[in-house]
Amino acid sequence: MKKLLLWSGIIALIVIFVMVVLYLSGSAAYSRFLDSIASLVQKSKTIEISSKDVFDNVESARFGNLSEVAVCENNLNILLENDESTRTDVSVPAPGRYFIVLKYRYVTQTTGSGTLEISLNGKTYLGILDNYTYYDFNDKVYDRYGNEITPEQKIFNRSYMSFIKDASRISAMPLTLNLTLGQNTLEIKNTRSAILIEKLYVVPETYLSKNLPYSQYIKGNPKISHNNKDKAIVIEAERLSFKSDALISITNEQSALVTPYEIMKKKINVVEEASYKQSGQEVFWTFYVDTPGYYKLALRYKQSTNRGVPVYRRIYVDGKVPFAEFFNYSFPYTGYDWKDYIISDAKNQPYEIYLDKGFHTLSLEVTTGIYQETIRFLQSSVKRLQEIGLEMRKLVGNNLDPNRTWDIEKYMPNVVKDLTDISNNLKNQHDKLVKIVGEKGLPSIADIVVSAELIENILRKPERLPFYIDVLSEGASSIAQRLSELSMRLKDQPMGIDKIYVFQGSIDKYTYKTTFLISAYEELQKLWLSLFNKNEPYSVYEKADEAALKIWVNRPVQYVETLQYLTDTDFTRKTGIRVVFSIMPNEQKLILASAANNVPDVAMSISNWIPFELAIRNALFPLSYFPDFFSFAEKNINIETLLPMVLENKVYGITETQNFYVLFYRKDIIEKLGIPIPNTWDDVKKILPELQRRGMNFSLPMCEQTTKYFNTTAPFFFQNKARFYTKDGLKTALNEENSVKAFELMTELFAIYGIPEQVASFYNSFRYGRIPIGIGDFGLYITLLNAADEIYGLWDIAPSPGVLDTNGQVLRYQVAGDRADVIFAKSEKKEKAWEFLKWWMSKETQVKFAKALVNRYGPTYIWNTANIEAFKELDFIDEKHKKVILEQWKWIKEVQRHPGGYMVEREVSNVWNRVVVEGYPLRTSIDRSVILINRELERKLTEFKYIVNGKKVKDFKMYDDMKDFMKTVMDRGEYDEN
């Protein structure tokens, strides 16, 4: 035992000694590394030029001679608001393929790209217009830890010239129109923010494809000797001049492989890989050349997403592609490392470009390169496979006899030929891609050959083809899903960039690599911090200035960083009130924190049921005590969302974000089946037999829940004018007649009309076409926008179905409350806290925050603000969809919380389960639950002193809605009670 202890001690000392040596040696190496990088950057400093001047130079170079090459030029000068359109005639001298260039101006201060629908000869094309933005790097912003924050994007506020680009982001070229000889009529419809179209130019397709090869480019430039002296201009990629898409982001990569870098602090140091990936996106950099001559180009970049597969960029110098080889240039896969790469030909000979003395611009535009044909083929194959699956569903229905065979070609004459063609073409596309990606890329494209082999296996027995619908077009591992995901991977061309080198000679002495010592020092430093540094970023345990407003936020760090930045740069500057935000570890522990007297002044983004639980325990300050609360709330939000935060005659919170439940439907499938979009639940019942006959169905949110919560059950009650409690709050009202009607509708849809009791994922079933219609929420909407490329343009939304009342009105009530903000009763800064909440929930701040989130982190961060006017101004939601959502929000109705509400929620779910799953009668199930609920309500009301010694002391006031609350409270003169 003593020997074991002795050896353990010796080993521990050796480990500590090695760690100390590594730490000290690494620290010295790290200091040298920082000095070398600082020296490199200092040597590369050049004359500055404003982004606006750079933009002017690029636009002049790119479109300066447009009037000379355009075959048609129309002066329009027409303002198109959202959903407005205009017609214009264009004449061309010969039939062929043409591009459209617009001179246009955004009327509003938007950073979102414009979107257009262009109709020509009965066909509709979807187009995108660039919206250029830039950063002001002179005004660097830091958080309270000294970490650099991505600066705010700014717009040029001027007219732009740009090609209309393909909205599908597939084409490596702008949107191409097939025009006939003579006059063609174009209808242009605006589907986003208001835009002023000043001029329209029609240019031939050859305008962008007339680049000379590199050999002729060299011959056409000055014959001067190539300088072999080592000389480099180093451009930090994050210091870009401007970009064509606000979604391209600069960010921090916490790695010594990129610069600027510090172990202890975050620096903005790269163009983010995940945001710079969509065809048509372009980033511009500017540099100054003091000696004319031939220069080479190199990048330090990372491409870690598409394993083994190169990505493509179109390389422009001073607004133009200098030679044909730069038109679609491939950058190889790097893995997770940042690598220096010299732009060279197939023989690894660097390309050289001639640069005069003065300012120059380099830009890289994302293209799909040689993948374009493959992507279109994969998407058309997916579409055909889904059509075949739908046709077979229509043929065989939902119940397949395992012993039956089918003479499938009798009913679907082309199906075997179509599948054979798809299989053969898949093999051809695979062979084509293999030549490009090589062996390293084989895993990334393996789904092509796997899909071809699966089709071949299925076709060996065509008489059993209907049994393979799941393999062909439905399910997570179906052929359609494999090909769809592959097309999405090929369409995305991600690339992160750290540096750009414009150099002569060699760049060996300008590049750098981290060493083992630096990596060891970095990891040991992180270990030390994790063991001893309690001041984690935005921790609730961090010591803060007592004079500052303390706010806990139930959001990830990305939201809190952005919120702190907006607050520091706007609210604090205006009011002088300092605010310190912290990330809340667990919102459900707020009650315990309150009991321990460890609460902030404000809690933000908490679930909308928590304010009630805190308020009934006297932990919150009523916001309705502020004289301007109701006027502020009515102006900015839908006050119906406040009902869950009502206790007696007071309101204890304000809604921050708002959900929505709308009807999602697949346009392609619904049109093929010839069924109408349902307006009422009776309409839903009518279309269910047709759907089920084809093996499809309808989905409700409760299909994805085991326990049916209020957010999915309450709408049936509200639409039937039912309620959950009696007016005095002492008993449940589930056995009232309207409540029984709600239960009948809610259970019959499943037990009689066959809606599935369980749906593992409506999102997946919707994509695969198994459930082409159903009700979903904001989360589903965002997922379909960003992760369902195979059904792009094939789905839409409509208001939720409802119940037709006696006045002929469809009651579409849905719940919508999501997150809320509160002020704690023990706060000594209540007035300052309310001042902050008014600023935070104002239209201006909500719009700024929503745009900042999307611009920094991408479209998956769309902010579902509860401020109605702010929501109307969000750039990243389709205007048609926005109208549907706003219409549905007119039908918001919420469940008022009750001390025993959990029992009501549970028993509503139990009634549904007993009737639908177990087959018990509805009335007896309701009566059984009413007894249990009333017993629990009495117990909870006794706990909170509404009932004492079995006798009611006071009512627990229950309101039908916020209008009822306002009328009742204001009639009693209680609305401004203090």
Side-chain angles (χ1 to χ4, degrees), residues 291-307:
T291 305
Y294 284 94
Y295 288 80
K296 304 164 192 172
L297 298 174
L299 275 70
R300 170 161 283 221
Y301 78 98
K302 181 175 75 169
Q303 196 280 96
S304 60
T305 306
N306 292 347
R307 184 180 174 188

Side-chain angles (χ1 to χ4, degrees), residues 592-663:
L592 297 177
S594 175
N597 199 26
N598 180 29
V599 291
D601 299 298
V602 176
M604 292 174 60
S605 302
I606 60 176
S607 299
N608 73 335
W609 58 269
I610 289 180
F612 173 84
E613 299 297 334
L614 291 167
I616 203 167
R617 292 166 174 83
N618 301 314
L620 296 184
F621 180 78
L623 298 188
S624 53
Y625 277 5
F626 294 110
D628 58 346
F629 172 75
F630 287 114
S631 60
F632 177 82
E634 287 180 314
K635 178 183 176 183
N636 289 281
I637 67 172
N638 187 317
I639 63 167
E640 289 301 326
T641 58
L642 298 178
L643 191 61
M645 295 172 275
V646 164
L647 177 60
E648 296 184 354
N649 60 350
K650 305 176 186 69
V651 182
Y652 286 87
I654 188 167
T655 310
E656 178 185 85
T657 55
Q658 196 162 279
N659 200 354
F660 57 77
Y661 287 90
V662 294
L663 184 72

Side-chain angles (χ1 to χ4, degrees), residues 659-842:
N659 200 354
F660 57 77
Y661 287 90
V662 294
L663 184 72
F664 290 79
Y665 63 94
R666 286 280 300 271
K667 294 189 291 186
D668 55 335
I669 296 176
I670 297 302
E671 286 172 8
K672 282 190 176 180
L673 296 180
I675 59 178
I677 306 303
N679 192 42
T680 66
W681 291 114
D682 287 337
D683 295 338
V684 172
K685 293 173 184 177
K686 290 175 183 176
I687 68 170
L688 279 170
E690 181 64 20
L691 287 170
Q692 291 160 356
R693 193 163 67 88
R694 310 301 186 189
M696 303 175 190
N697 220 311
F698 188 97
S699 178
L700 293 171
M702 66 171 61
C703 298
E704 296 182 90
Q705 296 178 343
T706 303
T707 300
K708 317 302 179 186
Y709 297 105
F710 275 149
N711 66 313
T712 64
T713 59
F716 291 100
F717 285 81
F718 297 149
Q719 291 171 17
N720 281 281
K721 300 181 180 179
R723 55 187 182 178
F724 291 101
Y725 309 94
T726 56
K727 290 293 284 185
D728 59 9
L730 300 181
K731 295 183 181 297
T732 183
L734 292 186
N735 53 353
E736 292 182 356
E737 197 57 38
N738 285 344
S739 298
V740 174
K741 287 181 182 178
F743 273 121
E744 286 175 346
L745 174 59
M746 189 168 61
T747 55
E748 286 177 359
L749 285 170
F750 294 87
I752 296 177
Y753 293 96
I755 288 180
E757 297 166 16
Q758 286 291 318
V759 174
S761 169
F762 177 39
Y763 161 67
N764 281 328
S765 297
F766 189 75
R767 290 167 68 198
Y768 306 146
R770 289 198 297 257
I771 302 180
I773 186 168
I775 295 174
D777 66 352
F778 173 75
L780 175 64
Y781 182 80
I782 297 301
T783 308
L784 288 174
L785 278 182
N786 295 286
D789 196 61
E790 71 275 19
I791 57 171
Y792 173 79
L794 298 180
W795 60 275
D796 210 340
I797 62 173
S800 168
V803 173
L804 190 67
D805 70 2
T806 54
N807 298 320
Q809 186 178 34
V810 179
L811 307 181
R812 306 182 189 276
Y813 293 116
Q814 292 282 349
V815 298
D818 185 28
R819 304 284 186 99
D821 302 335
V822 297
I823 297 174
F824 281 87
K826 294 179 181 177
S827 170
E828 297 178 356
K829 308 179 186 73
K830 296 182 180 69
E831 291 293 337
K832 291 181 178 179
W834 175 235
E835 196 67 28
F836 168 80
L837 287 181
K838 286 193 292 183
W839 169 83
W840 166 236
M841 286 309 303
S842 67

